[in-house]
Amino acid sequence: MNWIANVFFHPLFLVGVGGALGSNLRYGVGYWLNPSTTSFPFPFGTTLVNVLGSFFLGCIAGMVNDRTQWVYLLVGVGFCGGLTTFSTFSLELVEHLQSGRAGVAILECVLNVLVGLIALYAGLWLCKGVT
């Protein structure tokens, strides 16, 4: 019976299950609120999952001090990571600000957003036409 607990509470299992649930929810919300299926051309699905993921990660990080506990691995790392990595980004910014490291928060924000956009464009440019 102990081996079952070792499997179901193993970090890889917890993160994998949480990630699968989060990823499927992201797909469902994105499909449901896709600009091509709605009359409004704003990506509400992406915004919704980013905000929800940030909210869920804030809740779990606020309730669980030990980031190695099974519930944090399942919900915080797995589910929120599958739903959106924006949630982790948001948590890191808040932690920097709360620790008095506003400069680090600004730098992380600028690097993630601007460099992320540049990297995305570079990837599109490099891989355009590759399917």
Side-chain angles (χ1 to χ4, degrees), residues 73-119:
L73 294 172
L74 178 70
V75 179
V77 178
F79 181 77
C80 292
L83 184 62
T84 175
T85 57
F86 188 79
S87 56
T88 302
F89 171 66
S90 297
L91 175 64
E92 290 171 355
L93 291 180
V94 168
E95 288 177 340
H96 291 315
L97 292 170
Q98 289 176 336
S99 298
R101 298 183 310 243
V104 174
I106 292 168
L107 178 63
E108 183 175 8
C109 187
V110 169
L111 288 177
N112 272 275
V113 175
L114 292 180
V115 177
L117 286 172
I118 292 167

Side-chain angles (χ1 to χ4, degrees), residues 60-73:
I60 196 70
M63 293 186 297
V64 178
N65 291 329
D66 180 3
R67 305 265 170 96
T68 64
Q69 286 185 355
W70 71 269
V71 68
Y72 186 83
L73 294 172

Side-chain angles (χ1 to χ4, degrees), residues 21-34 37 45 49 83:
L21 294 171
S23 296
N24 279 288
L25 179 59
R26 179 182 182 97
Y27 172 78
V29 170
Y31 181 80
W32 179 53
L33 295 175
N34 188 321
T37 61
V49 296
L83 184 62

